[in-house]
Amino acid sequence: MQGFALYPFDPPSDIAALRTDLRAWLAVNQLQGDLVARANCWVSFDAGFSRALGAAGYVGMTLPARYGGGDRHPLERYVVIEELLAAGAPVGAHWIADRQTGPLILRYGSEEQRERYLPGIAKGELYACIGLSEPGAGSDLAAVRTTARETAEGWRINGQKIWTTGAHFSHIMLALVRTEEGSERNAGLSQLLIDLATPGITIRPIIDMAGHHDFNEVFFDDVLVPHGALVGERGQGGQQVTAELGLERSGPERYLSSHALLVALIDAAGADPDPAVATLIGELTAEMWTLRQLSMSTAAKLAAGEDPMVEASVVKELGNAFEQDMPRRVQAIVTSGWDDPDDLAKLLRALLIASPSFSLRGGTREVIRGIIARGLGLR
Amino acid sequence: MSAARDMLCDTASAVFTEAASVGIGPVEDAGFGLLLVPEADGGFGGDWGDVNAVLWIAGHSVPDLPVAALILSGLGDVDPALHAAATVSLMAGAMGQALTLSIDHVNTRQQFGRPLGKFQAVQQSLAVMACEVRAVEAAAAALAARLDATGGDALAAGFEIAAAKLRANRAVGVVTSVAHQVHGAIGFTEEYDLHRVTVPLMRWRGTHGNDAHWAQILGRQVAGFGGRGLWEAMTARDA
Ligand SMILES: Cc1cc2nc3c(=O)[nH]c(=O)nc-3n(C[C@H](O)[C@H](O)[C@H](O)COP(=O)(O)OP(=O)(O)OC[C@H]3O[C@@H](n4cnc5c(N)ncnc54)[C@H](O)[C@@H]3O)c2cc1C
């Protein structure tokens, strides 16, 4: 880790103008409807919003123009993402495709895959999901057992994925599968880009404890996909996935996905808050401001082509802790009851219930701390 | 980092090593009191980024010497909030040292036939501590950048001073307790170096504004921004 410096966050264009334009766009295009959807908004699905956002040039921003992208700098995209999250915009439909799958296809994909998928992603119309977890493979991804056998016609896939967020509305899944018969652990794993309309795929909802349908079970029964579905190098899937997960850890969603609650707390407190409430607002603000500095510095490092795996994990660990703590600490001092109809109570209830997932998705707390410990030279 | 700051840090490290045994004298003689004084007035013309770097090293190696007070004395009578700002940098350095000592210790001390650092419980505690240390380093650096962007104006950087000092204060508990826990009894001795940074950390938590002080100031300022206004104000202040 770096001692006393922060990596300079220095996007190439006029960031103030980018913010102003996007805020003006949101004022017109973001419906003021469901307040609770503003919390944890990166899982709020709204196809119309995603399409409009894509048409306005705010999706696939860093993809090259020849694939329909915006040719923008990664830090310009960062600014757009933090604005969208701070506003609680419903970015869930295109979120994974924009954040993860698009960049991964650009990096590892074939020319055919890029031409086929990236333009739809950049339009905010093509959605993707991530098929890593299986019943027997959670934290231990090297235990993946779903198989893909190479045949004359293509890859034949058999097995099951689980906890797949958005599989029910996605067009494609980027799946980690075992392509080498009899292989063990990471050797023999590859990534396949699977069109979810292919025959033999069954998607079943799993209702989460909030009563929402966000994740799913996905079954593959002799599913045939073309040879060209392989992404990157055969047998390198494990390494590619590790790189992919590293990229997603440090984004502003790690501390801004519950921002709606802080906004509601401040609004409910008014201009002359009770001292206990002022204290809490001060503490939460200090933590959020610090997290933002860390997240921006890590993003700037990533944009400069460095590999800040440990720092990205620090952002996730601290961000998860902040977002899990926030609803508890708010509940501890406000008078809103569990079933009250006011904004603060509704957000509070929704985030208390959502919060256990924050330190599970994208790598559990223990796994993330293990990565940090390795970075410290302890393993 | 600039070459000038690299040189400054090298000088600071060397001078502080000497000062560690003889006191603040060598630091005064080396001219650190002129660090923030403009070149036109015969000073070094340094900025808050420089101050942060120097105080990080001071917090690391000479936390008991009044290096921050010496540097700020060059500016004459300053807003007390600038002392809080300087303290954040000292705290970041002291926390960095507590982490370094802890890692070295768990990698060498053996129990149950293995170095302590091989035990997952120890690894996880140190990961938590490292996150706090990194957060305070980030807060100190971001605060220095804001002070440089505002010409060292404590009022204009009031939000960042409050946020950074509060964040640093809140890290003290985890950092000192994990550091002492993984050290065992040796860390509780006068002879071993850990207390040279942990006791100053405990002290600094209460000086130049404790948690309640800065949380009130920041909380009331943010209440004035309003819910949505917080985000607008925070992004408008980017250096
Ligand atoms: C809301 C949500 C959305 C998700 N979306 C997706 C998705 O889109 N795609 C996808 O593939 N997956 C998804 N997941 C799954 C997620 O990646 C897994 O839940 C996660 O990797 C943990 O796996 P597991 O649930 O099997 O828990 P397990 O691996 O069984 O772990 C249970 C507990 O044991 C701990 N543990 C495990 N191994 C160790 C160890 N070696 N040392 C110490 N502690 C250990 C874990 O940290 C955890 O606390 C999602 C999960 C959630 C909650």
Side-chain angles (χ1 to χ4, degrees), chain B residues 92-110:
Chain B
M95 289 182 189
Q97 172 68 347
L99 181 61
T100 301
L101 288 171
S102 300
I103 292 168
D104 289 350
H105 180 73
V106 302
N107 279 338
T108 38
R109 165 79 174 165
Q110 303 226 359

Side-chain angles (χ1 to χ4, degrees), chain A residues 16-30 58 83, chain B residues 228 232:
Chain A
L18 184 62
R19 286 190 202 282
T20 314
D21 290 350
L22 178 54
R23 286 174 193 174
W25 187 89
L26 282 171
V28 176
N29 289 279
Q30 184 185 358
Y58 295 120
E83 286 293 330
Chain B
R228 177 66 196 167
E232 283 160 10

Side-chain angles (χ1 to χ4, degrees), chain A residues 2-3 267 272 275 279 378, chain B residues 117 124 134 137 216 220 227 238:
Chain A
Q2 335 170 236
D267 284 339
D272 185 21
T279 295
L378 297 179
Chain B
Q124 300 257 315
R134 186 70 195 113
E137 287 170 351
Q216 275 303 308
R220 295 192 64 82
D238 287 343

Side-chain angles (χ1 to χ4, degrees), chain B residues 10-62:
Chain B
D10 289 346
T11 307
S13 297
V15 172
F16 294 162
T17 305
E18 194 192 344
S21 46
V22 301
I24 192 76
V27 188
E28 288 169 348
D29 297 346
F32 278 94
L34 298 172
L35 181 56
L36 276 175
V37 176
E39 277 173 301
D41 302 333
F44 180 84
D47 61 15
W48 279 90
D50 295 326
V51 173
N52 181 43
V54 167
L55 290 181
W56 190 89
I57 301 169
H60 211 272
S61 51
V62 286

Side-chain angles (χ1 to χ4, degrees), chain A residues 105-346:
Chain A
I105 292 174
L106 183 66
R107 182 164 167 196
Y108 295 111
S110 64
E111 193 52 37
E112 195 233 312
Q113 286 165 339
R114 293 175 181 173
E115 283 169 9
R116 178 144 172 221
Y117 298 114
L118 295 182
I121 290 177
K123 280 190 185 143
E125 292 178 356
L126 192 125
Y127 314 139
C129 60
I130 302 167
L132 298 175
S133 304
E134 295 183 5
S139 300
D140 183 14
L141 279 179
V144 157
R145 284 196 347 200
T146 297
T147 57
R149 296 270 163 274
E150 199 176 19
T151 66
E153 313 104 291
W155 300 94
R156 281 218 174 264
I157 308 168
N158 280 286
Q160 181 194 350
K161 293 293 172 183
I162 196 169
W163 317 126
T164 323
T165 301
H168 54 303
F169 60 69
S170 292
H171 304 95
I172 52 175
M173 172 195 282
L174 189 59
L176 185 65
V177 297
R178 196 164 289 285
T179 43
E180 317 309 315
E181 203 166 347
S183 63
E184 295 279 336
R185 309 296 297 160
N186 267 322
L189 295 180
S190 305
Q191 283 189 295
L192 292 187
L193 203 47
I194 301 169
D195 184 335
L196 288 174
T198 315
I201 299 177
T202 309
I203 299 170
R204 288 204 197 123
I206 304 176
I207 304 303
D208 66 27
M209 66 186 255
H212 297 153
H213 174 201
D214 287 338
F215 52 28
N216 304 270
E217 289 182 288
V218 183
F219 298 89
F220 299 90
D221 183 12
D222 236 13
V223 173
L224 181 67
V225 298
H227 289 114
L230 180 71
V231 179
E233 240 181 280
R234 184 169 175 169
Q236 292 298 304
Q239 286 82 335
Q240 288 171 204
V241 160
T242 308
E244 177 190 354
L245 288 175
L247 289 181
E248 65 143 331
R249 287 201 176 116
S250 58
E253 65 275 15
R254 296 303 172 191
Y255 71 95
L256 274 179
S257 68
S258 309
H259 190 62
L261 179 60
L262 183 54
V263 171
L265 175 70
I266 296 166
D267 284 339
D272 185 21
D274 164 274
V277 178
T279 295
L280 181 60
I281 292 172
E283 289 174 355
L284 294 173
T285 301
E287 276 162 47
M288 175 195 166
W289 172 80
T290 305
L291 271 159
R292 182 163 182 260
Q293 309 305 324
L294 276 170
S295 174
M296 289 167 78
S297 168
T298 311
K301 259 190 157 176
L302 273 168
E306 294 191 30
D307 179 18
M309 179 68 105
V310 175
E311 285 173 76
S313 298
V314 168
V315 174
K316 181 169 186 321
E317 162 74 10
L318 287 170
N320 289 165
F322 168 67
E323 292 207 328
Q324 286 182 329
D325 256 16
M326 175 153 64
R328 295 173 196 148
R329 286 157 72 184
V330 172
Q331 186 184 36
I333 63 160
V334 299
T335 50
S336 300
W338 186 256
D339 290 317
D340 283 356
D342 59 295
D343 287 1
L344 190 57
K346 281 199 243 168

